[in-house]
Amino acid sequence: MSDFRSDTVTQPTAAMKRAMMDAPLGDDVFNDDPTVHRLQEMAAGMLGYEAALFAPSGTQTNLIALMTHCQRGDEAIVGQQWHTYRWEAGGMAVLGSIQPQPLEHQPDGTIALADIENAIKPDDPHFARTRLVVIENTTGGKPLPLKYMRDVQQLAQRRGLRCHIDGARLFNAAVALAHEDGGDPLATAKNMCHGYDSVSLCLSKGLGAPIGSLLLGSASFIGQARRLRKMLGGGMRQSGMLAAAGIHALEHHVHRLADDHAHARLLSEGLAEIIPNHPVLSGRLAVHADRTNIVFTDVDADLGQPLLAHLAANDVKVTAGDLRVQERLVKRIRWVMHLDVSGKDVEKALQVVNAFR
Ligand SMILES: *Cc1c(COP(=O)(O)O)cnc(C)c1O
């Protein structure tokens, strides 16, 4: 079976499980779990922050960040497709009384600087107080350029706003960009975060830990975030067992994200070869991939269900959704590469697509 549904499906490796079993433990709500401390210090050091906080999920680290930066009635500028706006059940509004100001995306996944600038409300009692800009990187599998990250941070600073990175897949972005300019992924990641007030990272995606996310920021920011984590039910006890998996992931699984990116290229380039000569899919399936671990295939709506059934019958697991692309209704199928998808799995998936009739 090949499971392309998400990079969250990875199983902890044997070495990771050993690290979890051997971890010294305390009680992290009493703030004395040595392994949680080690993970937090390690991650903060890697990305140039004073402090970090370990939490159960990326949804929670984002929500904690939003609620720490914004008070009731404040506004956060987000992208229409950002996870923080679209995929977190409206948490910032429901639990934070924060008004989201969603903005449309450019084709490269960024939000135009002018659109951010124009969305900032004047200090006037008619308006919510614009407080925060959120940037997601990678977004929809696209790594956002370092220059763009810098420009947004400077805009925020100039306009007196806070800025947060939803970096669920930040290391995918860093590995992809470093691959292009021959740089070091860790230096690139640190560079990407420079000047941002906070960043949220997922350990349980491509990095391969079973559970867990990190929020990074200043010592005082993380101090406030700790209270919110408790309020939201994210205070965990012998969580050093989970933190040990995170330490193992940061030590051993960052550079290997390049393998996932290579597998995504193998899939997208393989499809680009197959499709033009395919008896059914020719001209009816478009491939979108952008340097990291996610590939999208948009197939005409009438072929969506038959193709998905064919993939499922051949043990190829994917996720899919309906989408309108320039007035055309398509089924968008998402293929995500990760630790448990091999080059062989990709080859097999290509054969399965090729055999579709
Ligand atoms: C996965 C993801 C998150 C966090 O998701 P959880 O499942 O709650 O850990 C946040 N932002 C982005 C962009 C994501 O892809």
Side-chain angles (χ1 to χ4, degrees):
M1 191 209 38
S2 314
D3 197 342
F4 295 96
R5 286 176 303 166
S6 175
D7 44 8
T8 56
V9 303
T10 51
Q11 297 282 322
T13 62
M16 182 179 275
K17 283 182 183 166
R18 270 196 304 281
M20 295 170 76
M21 295 307 288
D22 294 346
L25 306 175
D27 183 317
D28 187 49
V29 175
F30 289 122
N31 205 7
D32 66 9
D33 187 298
T35 307
V36 173
H37 285 177
R38 212 181 123 216
L39 170 66
Q40 291 173 163
E41 282 159 23
M42 179 180 167
M46 276 171 95
L47 293 179
Y49 286 90
E50 283 176 5
L53 188 71
F54 182 54
S57 71
T59 299
Q60 188 171 90
T61 44
N62 277 332
L63 180 59
I64 292 170
L66 280 152
M67 289 177 67
T68 307
H69 288 305
C70 300
Q71 302 308 305
R72 179 179 160 88
D74 287 351
E75 178 181 77
I77 295 175
V78 289
Q80 279 286 0
Q81 301 297 332
W82 280 181
H83 202 276
T84 37
Y85 176 61
R86 196 178 174 89
W87 300 91
E88 296 183 3
M92 77 165 95
V94 177
L95 300 170
S97 299
I98 300 162
Q99 166 166 286
Q101 167 62 71
L103 299 177
E104 291 301 334
H105 298 264
Q106 301 301 307
D108 65 356
T110 62
I111 301 171
L113 296 170
D115 291 345
I116 296 177
E117 192 99 44
N118 290 338
I120 300 169
K121 314 278 185 290
D123 182 7
D124 175 315
H126 289 87
F127 300 125
R129 289 170 303 245
T130 310
R131 182 75 70 197
L132 176 70
V133 180
V134 179
I135 292 296
E136 181 175 300
N137 198 3
T138 63
T139 184
K142 294 175 194 298
L144 304 187
L146 277 175
K147 173 161 190 319
Y148 176 75
M149 298 299 288
R150 183 66 43 253
D151 288 345
V152 172
Q153 187 270 326
Q154 285 173 355
L155 189 165
Q157 190 167 18
R158 182 161 47 77
R159 299 298 302 264
L161 305 181
R162 306 280 186 90
C163 48
H164 169 72
I165 303 175
D166 178 356
R169 297 189 180 86
L170 184 91
F171 284 115
N172 290 91
V175 166
L177 295 180
H179 177 80
E180 278 168 24
D181 63 13
D184 166 43
L186 293 179
T188 303
K190 194 169 182 174
N191 215 346
M192 200 174 277
C193 296
H194 183 76
Y196 280 84
D197 296 291
S198 56
V199 56
S200 162
L201 293 178
C202 280
L203 298 164
S204 64
K205 291 192 169 158
L207 295 178
I211 298 171
S213 285
L214 284 160
L215 180 61
L216 317 185
S218 69
S220 73
F221 172 84
I222 293 298
Q224 295 169 56
R226 257 189 104 73
R227 174 170 281 108
L228 280 163
R229 184 184 67 171
K230 183 68 189 146
M231 188 190 293
L232 295 170
M236 301 183 288
R237 302 298 180 167
Q238 283 72 55
S239 40
M241 283 194 93
L242 299 172
I247 292 168
H248 185 87
L250 289 176
E251 282 177 344
H252 301 284
H253 293 171
V254 173
H255 295 273
R256 68 147 304 284
L257 292 171
D259 299 347
D260 299 342
H261 302 173
H263 289 150
R265 266 196 310 282
L266 188 65
L267 180 66
S268 60
E269 290 174 5
L271 288 169
E273 256 182 58
I274 288 173
I275 300 306
N277 302 311
H278 194 281
V280 184
L281 295 171
S282 175
R284 307 196 60 194
L285 183 146
V287 184
H288 305 285
D290 192 351
R291 293 170 282 167
T292 71
N293 66 324
I294 305 181
V295 177
F296 296 99
T297 53
D298 291 351
V299 61
D300 287 355
D302 59 315
L303 290 177
Q305 275 320 321
L307 178 59
L308 287 169
H310 172 74
L311 294 174
N314 287 280
D315 280 338
V316 176
K317 290 191 169 185
V318 292
T319 58
D322 296 319
L323 196 73
R324 192 171 285 281
V325 180
Q326 292 155 354
E327 301 306 307
R328 223 165 100 241
L329 204 58
V330 301
K331 186 69 82 180
R332 171 162 284 189
I333 303 175
R334 192 175 84 135
W335 309 74
V336 187
M337 311 301 133
H338 51 76
L339 201 54
D340 295 339
V341 164
S342 65
K344 273 206 171 61
D345 293 326
V346 173
E347 299 283 1
K348 189 200 140 191
L350 287 168
Q351 286 164 15
V352 169
V353 172
N354 203 18
F356 176 64
R357 291 296 180 270

